[in-house]
Amino acid sequence: MAGAILENLSTKKLSFFCLCLLLVQIACFLVGGLVAPAPSSAHNILTTKCIDPSFSLQKWFQPHGPHACDKVRDFDEATKRGIFADWIVFSAQVPHRPNTMHRSFQYMLGVLVMDIGYSDEDGKHLAPNAAVTLVVRLGYKDTDDGEFQELVSVNETRKLECVFPFTEDKVGYHYSCEPLPLFELGSVHHKHYLINIRMPITKDKATGALTNTNIGSPEDLHVVIIHQNGGFTTVWMSIKTIMFPIVLLITIWFWRRVKTQGKPSVLLERTIFALAIIMSILNFPMEWLTFWVEVPFMTLLSDIKQGAFYAMLFSFWIIFIGEHLMDQTQRNRLKVYRRQVASIIFTFFCLFIFDVCERGVQLVNPFFSMWNTDKGYRLAMAFIILAGICLCSYCLFLLFMVYQVFKNISMRRATLPHMAKARRLHYEGLIYRFRFFMIFTVLTAIFTVIFFIMSQVLEGHQKAGESISSVQYTSGFYTGVYGMWNIYVVAVLVLYAPSHKKTASTSNGEGSEGSHVEFDIDVPSEGRPTDPVVAGSLTEAYQLLSKTATE
Amino acid sequence: MSSGSHCRGTGRLVAGTTRLNTMRNLWMLLGIVVAVTYAQDVTWWNLGVDSRILHQFDTIGSPELYILGTQPLCAELPGLSSGQQKLCQLFQDHMGPIGEGARMGIEECRYQFSNRRWNCSTAETGSVFGRVTAIASREAAFTYAISAAGVVNAISRSCREGELSPCGCSRAARPPDLDRDWVWGGCGDNVDYGYRFAKEFVDAREKESNAPRGTYMYARMKSNLHNNEAGRRAVYDKAGVQCKCHGVSSSCSLKTCWLQLAEFHDVGAYLKDKYDGASRVRFNKKGKMEPHEARFNRPSKDDMVYLEESPDYCMYDPRAGSLGTVGRECVKTSMGTEGCDLMCCGRGYNSYTKEVVERCNCKFKWCCYVQCKKCRRTVDVHVCK
């Protein structure tokens, strides 16, 4: 890739272009921070304790309304009335009256929080490693007065992780328990949802032991519902809808420009093109579809798209840096980068498998999670650890290559004044392109990390009762980062597109197939690394990178 | 201070007993009309023990009952100020939780102070906390704080149970906008709603007074407001934040957090700490609060404040709001406040033995099935002279 637009752009034009990108970036952040609400909200629903002596899994138990169930206020009352644990149905209707769910909520997660009271009476203790067995029915309806329809009905077991944070004499205080993940729905297509939870005392088929006998004395069950906010969905999809055609048009322009060069495209150009294509796929606002059609696999799909984008981005970095190594190796083939790219692909393959297992099964059973069973937990951990190892090795590759480039750059700079004009221009061009890219990429990455930390720190630190700040930092972070990667891709597309001006591309008669021209043979004394130690380490490095140095 | 005898009369007046009392009290009312608001026994706390309110709201599932002539309820409830009556009429379904909150406050106060000389006594009729609020003592500060906290807790809880219709979207003008707000931004937190409504309702009483700055009544109003706020904040300060990660592949790139209310015992214990560390304050002529002794720091919004030192609560003294400790049980061996030496103020105690029947060797299934044996045990009881 010889002679990109970046080199031939005047400083004035370049700064104007960068300023435009900066303005778009600020706009993206502000739209998220000022227009959009928080990305998601959580609603705590305290379940109503309904009574069902018939133990009927056909009937629905609603906490309120004309068909409200027969209920008890607390278990003291239940004891007095002679009610059994098997008769209790914990019922939660989502959302609270008078609201209804909306399709723009995109997804809905349920978390179960148990209030377990501490008692010093024997038999009422919470056993360590206790597990709670739940019989859950999830139903929906779309009209106010209709009947609930069943979505899913399952038996699930969850491990309780509770500690009693006080000394033993605090009878009546509650254990402090970890919230239990309950379900994840990939689409919110209906207006009302109803959750009926039972904790039956029955013989477990596998072990023969009684279920739910060592769970202490639960007093209340809370179901926390988390969904994306409609306002955030609207803003998010609007940004995608605006970004999609812009990035797509620039991609087409880029490819046409490559084609009109009249010579075969180089690897770097193809990589940039692939990155742009994946960005466009990520931008394609297919979430609009959820407003009309029930698409339960949307979260799975967006996870996969996101993963593909990151994989492509990481591959692009490796290839870009490799193509600017400025050694005498002839690259320009994907095969040269097979190790690095394979580590990236494997990382994201692991995450993909994990995602398909988790979200894929959730399409059938929303209450499923790999983390809930010991086997699944180990499997999920294995996938994530494997992915982590691959990602680390990728990072090492990347850092090593960046180090190589900087070393080569400092060597080249020493020899620049002795080179012929064409060669000097070629190298200066390479160095400039690389420096610009490095600064731009590092800035983007740093901002992503800063935004991420900010959103993590700010999240959950807002105490209610104080006035809520008008800027939604978390939303601003999401739109800002999303906009930033779009801008990154656009900048790479525009600045690294082949230039029509001929000054740089004719740097050296035969150098048209790649960014590396083997002219070191011509300048044996100055061009070669003179330090034998450096030379030795370089050779070693090439071997490490499994590249054959052509001398 | 004549408000001591007066306030009992006001209590009867509101409860509507004898005409004679009413006449006598009307005469007094002309004299110290401002003092009434603060020193009277009957406040909204009485909702916590008013059986009407609890029964009325058992029928919460059927809103028709409100339409069918239950309107006078708000006027009938004793202890509501005019502003609170208005709120009662506007938010009838909130009155049950408010009563529940007041009851929780009373119960928690008794729980926390069961081993102190002052034990949130409700021995006298017509008043929830005895006559502790006769002077602006530490104990008065605690009662204001704990009952305000009880209301926040109960309203938030009812919100989460889905029993109150306008929960969540606590700010914007509703109902027409409710649906839009809800879909757009999820409409805030139930705890937030509880806090805001409790502030509105509980503070209404104090805010109705327009005592001039620099007077004692003004100082009482300001310190009551401060203690109400300390109580409401306690619910927040003890509430825990729980989070769930649900980003790409369930990573923590996206995290949603919610407030999980602490159990009310936790709030009570926290407020008791605040009670022990409460600061005595005075109000200057501009109406600004300052520490009674200049070397101490100004109390924060989370701290409790009081204006006058407490009596020792040893002997019966209605004017200071003390019931005395005669007849209270004490622990012979303890060196703490529940020990007989401290509890009986050195007057000595009577001892006798008593046989109690307790449940033991219980078999329990999580909800309501308990099978126990009966065990008998003799215990020594000590009672203050």
Side-chain angles (χ1 to χ4, degrees):
Chain A
M1 182 177 166
I5 283 185
L6 176 63
E7 293 155 65
N8 301 320
L9 219 53
S10 68
T11 319
K12 210 174 152 188
K13 277 182 187 165
L14 183 64
S15 19
F16 178 72
F17 180 67
C18 288
L19 192 73
C20 284
L21 294 186
L22 190 69
L23 287 179
V24 175
Q25 172 65 69
I26 291 171
C28 278
F29 183 80
L30 288 183
V31 163
L34 298 177
V35 181
S40 56
S41 47
H43 302 277
N44 196 330
I45 300 172
L46 186 61
T47 54
T48 303
K49 302 174 190 91
C50 295
I51 309 161
D52 170 32
S54 63
F55 201 86
S56 159
L57 277 175
Q58 309 305 317
K59 264 162 76 183
W60 288 104
F61 296 88
Q62 300 174 44
H64 39 65
H67 304 292
C69 64
D70 182 15
K71 44 192 145 180
V72 283
R73 198 165 175 78
D74 50 42
F75 292 142
D76 285 343
E77 189 191 325
T79 315
K80 275 177 212 146
R81 284 171 63 179
I83 288 162
F84 292 105
D86 287 355
W87 295 3
I88 303 282
V89 181
F90 296 92
S91 167
Q93 192 166 336
V94 185
H96 281 151
R97 292 174 302 172
N99 304 323
T100 56
M101 294 305 263
H102 194 264
R103 288 178 183 178
S104 64
F105 291 170
Q106 299 290 305
Y107 57 79
M108 178 162 83
L109 314 184
V111 177
L112 190 68
V113 181
M114 288 176 84
D115 285 348
I116 300 178
Y118 176 81
S119 166
D120 58 352
E121 283 182 64
D122 45 298
K124 284 194 178 183
H125 285 293
L126 174 66
N129 303 322
V132 59
T133 304
L134 308 166
V135 176
V136 196
R137 282 184 88 204
L138 181 64
Y140 67 88
K141 69 174 180 182
D142 282 311
T143 51
D144 282 338
D145 42 314
E147 262 290 299
F148 276 96
Q149 304 294 313
E150 186 171 283
L151 204 64
V152 68
S153 171
V154 285
N155 282 15
E156 285 287 328
T157 305
R158 297 280 190 274
K159 263 192 169 169
L160 288 176
E161 283 167 38
C162 301
V163 285
F164 191 61
F166 308 102
T167 47
E168 295 293 293
D169 60 330
K170 299 251 182 177
V171 173
Y173 280 66
H174 289 170
Y175 284 91
S176 143
C177 294
E178 287 290 313
L180 306 169
L182 196 61
F183 65 88
E184 299 195 10
L185 279 181
S187 75
V188 185
H189 199 67
H190 306 288
K191 282 187 172 163
H192 301 275
Y193 289 86
L194 182 69
I195 305 161
N196 280 178
I197 303 172
R198 295 159 197 265
M199 300 197 290
I201 299 175
T202 48
K203 264 207 175 125
D204 189 56
K205 277 170 206 149
T207 57
L210 282 178
T211 57
N212 295 328
T213 43
N214 54 3
I215 55 168
S217 46
E219 288 166 12
D220 274 310
L221 252 62
H222 306 254
V223 174
V224 180
I225 295 295
I226 296 168
H227 61 76
Q228 186 160 308
N229 284 330
F232 184 77
T233 312
T234 314
V235 169
W236 186 250
M237 282 169 15
S238 308
I239 289 182
K240 279 186 152 191
T241 313
I242 293 167
M243 290 290 187
F244 173 67
I246 296 175
V247 174
L248 194 68
L249 280 177
I250 295 175
T251 312
I252 292 168
W253 168 84
F254 172 84
W255 196 240
R256 284 183 60 174
R257 200 163 176 127
V258 169
K259 283 285 159 207
T260 52
Q261 289 246 62
K263 49 194 172 187
S265 57
V266 294
L267 175 65
L268 192 54
E269 285 163 352
R270 288 197 296 271
T271 314
I272 293 176
F273 183 62
L275 181 69
I277 291 289
I278 291 203
M279 186 82 237
S280 295
I281 293 174
L282 192 64
N283 277 342
F284 181 66
M286 70 180 297
E287 282 90 344
W288 288 118
L289 212 64
T290 54
F291 280 80
W292 297 280
V293 192
E294 189 168 7
V295 196
F297 53 84
M298 197 53 97
T299 37
L300 176 64
L301 202 65
S302 65
D303 276 10
I304 292 172
K305 284 197 291 188
Q306 192 96 25
F309 173 72
Y310 285 129
M312 191 60 231
L313 188 70
F314 289 178
S315 310
F316 165 70
W317 285 347
I318 278 286
I319 290 167
F320 187 93
I321 292 167
E323 293 294 295
H324 286 76
L325 254 181
M326 277 176 279
D327 52 19
Q328 47 282 78
T329 317
Q330 181 61 47
R331 292 196 179 78
N332 200 21
R333 289 190 320 270
L334 193 59
K335 226 175 127 187
V336 179
Y337 301 98
R338 62 180 180 273
R339 284 198 177 182
Q340 291 91 328
V341 172
S343 79
I344 298 162
I345 300 286
F346 191 71
T347 304
F348 287 95
F349 182 72
C350 282
L351 291 178
F352 171 74
I353 294 289
F354 167 74
D355 230 57
V356 167
C357 287
E358 178 87 1
R359 299 237 199 259
V361 179
Q362 275 169 8
L363 293 179
V364 185
N365 174 12
F367 291 85
F368 173 85
S369 171
M370 283 173 85
W371 302 103
N372 291 336
T373 57
D374 282 337
K375 249 186 214 166
Y377 184 85
R378 267 182 243 132
L379 200 66
M381 276 316 268
F383 279 132
I384 283 168
I385 288 169
L386 263 180
I389 291 169
C390 288
L391 205 64
C392 282
S393 65
Y394 163 80
C395 287
L396 287 178
F397 274 134
L398 191 73
L399 284 176
F400 180 71
M401 283 174 82
V402 171
Y403 165 74
Q404 285 287 305
V405 174
F406 276 110
K407 212 158 103 182
N408 285 353
I409 282 179
S410 62
M411 273 179 338
R412 291 288 175 222
R413 284 179 79 88
T415 60
L416 273 180
H418 307 289
M419 287 181 188
K421 195 192 172 205
R423 272 175 215 152
R424 204 178 71 225
L425 279 177
H426 169 78
Y427 272 107
E428 277 177 343
L430 271 179
I431 292 169
Y432 177 54
R433 283 205 300 257
F434 181 77
R435 287 233 160 129
F436 188 86
F437 174 81
M438 275 308 283
I439 291 169
F440 192 54
T441 304
V442 167
L443 270 182
T444 315
I446 285 177
F447 273 114
T448 307
V449 171
I450 288 176
F451 275 149
F452 180 71
I453 291 170
M454 259 173 60
S455 78
Q456 294 284 309
V457 169
L458 289 168
E459 184 65 56
H461 274 240
Q462 190 146 28
K463 285 245 164 175
E466 294 161 15
S467 63
I468 288 165
S469 81
S470 53
V471 183
Q472 284 291 343
Y473 291 101
T474 321
S475 294
F477 155 69
Y478 285 111
T479 54
V481 166
Y482 192 77
M484 193 157 68
W485 289 110
N486 266 294
I487 288 166
Y488 182 85
V489 171
V490 166
V492 167
L493 277 175
V494 171
L495 295 178
Y496 291 84
S499 171
H500 282 189
K501 291 182 187 167
K502 290 293 171 194
T503 44
S505 55
T506 54
S507 61
N508 149 336
E510 77 268 61
S512 58
E513 69 269 57
S515 41
H516 302 286
V517 199
E518 302 157 51
F519 58 89
D520 275 23
I521 307 145
D522 305 335
V523 235
S525 55
E526 296 99 327
R528 307 282 314 147
T530 42
D531 191 344
V533 182
V534 175
S537 72
L538 266 181
T539 336
E540 230 170 86
Y542 294 145
Q543 279 161 0
L544 256 172
L545 287 166
S546 81
K547 305 218 177 81
T548 44
T550 48
E551 293 273 328
Chain B
M1 197 182 137
S2 62
S3 60
S5 65
H6 175 75
C7 53
R8 190 195 284 169
T10 320
R12 285 190 198 144
L13 183 132
V14 176
T17 49
T18 64
R19 178 177 269 182
L20 194 75
N21 260 337
T22 316
M23 292 301 285
R24 203 182 69 207
N25 281 294
L26 269 175
W27 175 79
M28 288 180 80
L29 214 122
L30 291 169
I32 32 172
V33 95
V34 188
V36 174
T37 329
Y38 298 99
Q40 64 184 219
D41 284 352
V42 180
T43 65
W44 62 271
W45 295 334
N46 265 54
L47 298 179
V49 288
D50 197 309
S51 60
R52 268 178 299 179
I53 195 153
L54 296 174
H55 289 143
Q56 195 83 29
F57 293 96
D58 271 351
T59 51
I60 206 141
S62 44
E64 307 82 48
L65 272 181
Y66 297 119
I67 304 156
L68 294 175
T70 47
Q71 197 66 9
L73 180 74
C74 290
E76 279 168 18
L77 289 172
L80 292 191
S81 73
S82 62
Q84 286 172 333
Q85 280 191 13
K86 258 181 223 155
L87 282 169
C88 171
Q89 265 154 17
L90 280 171
F91 299 94
Q92 291 220 3
D93 55 349
H94 288 48
M95 296 315 286
I98 285 175
E100 172 69 16
R103 192 188 58 74
M104 283 169 76
I106 299 161
E107 272 179 13
E108 189 56 32
C109 185
R110 283 187 202 152
Y111 181 91
Q112 294 295 340
F113 282 85
S114 57
N115 53 9
R116 298 254 182 150
R117 284 183 194 157
W118 177 73
N119 63 346
C120 283
S121 41
T122 56
E124 284 185 45
T125 52
S127 161
V128 173
F129 288 107
R131 244 188 279 109
V132 67
T133 53
I135 60 169
S137 59
R138 268 175 203 264
E139 287 72 27
F142 184 82
T143 50
Y144 276 93
I146 194 82
S147 37
V151 173
V152 179
N153 209 70
I155 294 270
S156 310
R157 194 188 152 97
S158 294
C159 275
R160 289 181 300 165
E161 259 177 297
E163 294 200 330
L164 308 178
S165 44
C167 275
C169 308
S170 53
R171 273 170 301 275
R174 282 161 301 104
D177 268 355
L178 176 66
D179 198 42
R180 233 187 61 204
D181 284 357
W182 154 255
V183 170
W184 182 263
C187 276
D189 190 52
N190 299 330
V191 191
D192 191 41
Y193 183 82
Y195 174 88
R196 280 163 200 277
F197 189 84
K199 193 179 169 79
E200 196 85 3
F201 182 86
V202 175
D203 286 357
R205 176 179 198 82
E206 308 297 332
K207 285 185 174 155
E208 276 161 38
S209 119
N210 31 20
R213 275 180 196 178
T215 60
Y216 174 73
M217 273 343 213
Y218 182 80
R220 284 213 69 166
M221 176 199 81
K222 287 301 251 187
S223 63
N224 288 349
L225 283 176
H226 187 100
N227 293 326
N228 286 344
E229 178 66 19
R232 286 190 296 266
R233 279 173 175 254
V235 179
Y236 270 121
D237 292 343
K238 291 311 286 177
V241 177
Q242 287 184 324
C243 297
K244 162 98 179 147
C245 292
H246 54 99
V248 180
S249 305
S250 311
S251 69
C252 258
S253 66
L254 188 55
K255 199 165 78 169
T256 306
C257 299
W258 66 93
L259 276 183
Q260 189 73 37
L261 279 189
E263 189 186 355
F264 202 57
H265 281 325
D266 271 348
V267 178
Y270 175 81
L271 280 177
K272 199 185 173 194
D273 283 348
K274 291 284 175 197
Y275 158 88
D276 286 329
S279 29
R280 188 171 176 189
V281 293
R282 61 177 179 203
F283 286 80
N284 62 19
K285 280 185 182 130
K286 285 179 187 164
K288 271 195 96 175
M289 188 169 70
E290 52 190 35
H292 198 261
E293 283 179 67
R295 63 197 165 95
F296 293 123
N297 290 336
R298 280 171 63 93
S300 77
K301 279 190 168 182
D302 293 309
D303 293 325
M304 282 185 210
V305 299
Y306 63 97
L307 300 172
E308 291 144 283
E309 288 297 346
S310 311
D312 60 10
Y313 294 103
C314 279
M315 301 308 291
Y316 180 76
D317 180 5
R319 279 171 54 174
S322 163
L323 287 175
T325 60
V326 177
R328 288 280 302 278
E329 278 189 18
C330 59
V331 183
K332 194 180 173 185
T333 50
S334 170
M335 299 301 286
T337 48
E338 73 274 29
C340 289
D341 283 350
L342 281 174
M343 181 66 84
C344 306
C345 307
R347 294 186 306 266
Y349 51 89
N350 299 319
S351 303
Y352 59 93
T353 54
K354 152 171 116 170
E355 192 177 62
V356 288
V357 181
E358 281 178 341
R359 300 197 304 183
C360 54
N361 298 329
C362 294
K363 275 181 187 164
F364 175 69
K365 287 174 186 170
W366 62 265
C367 145
C368 18
Y369 172 83
V370 194
Q371 200 178 34
C372 297
K373 284 180 180 160
K374 278 180 185 170
C375 300
R376 283 169 195 280
R377 195 160 68 93
T378 53
V379 285
D380 292 324
V381 183
H382 312 283
V383 174
C384 289
K385 281 181 184 167

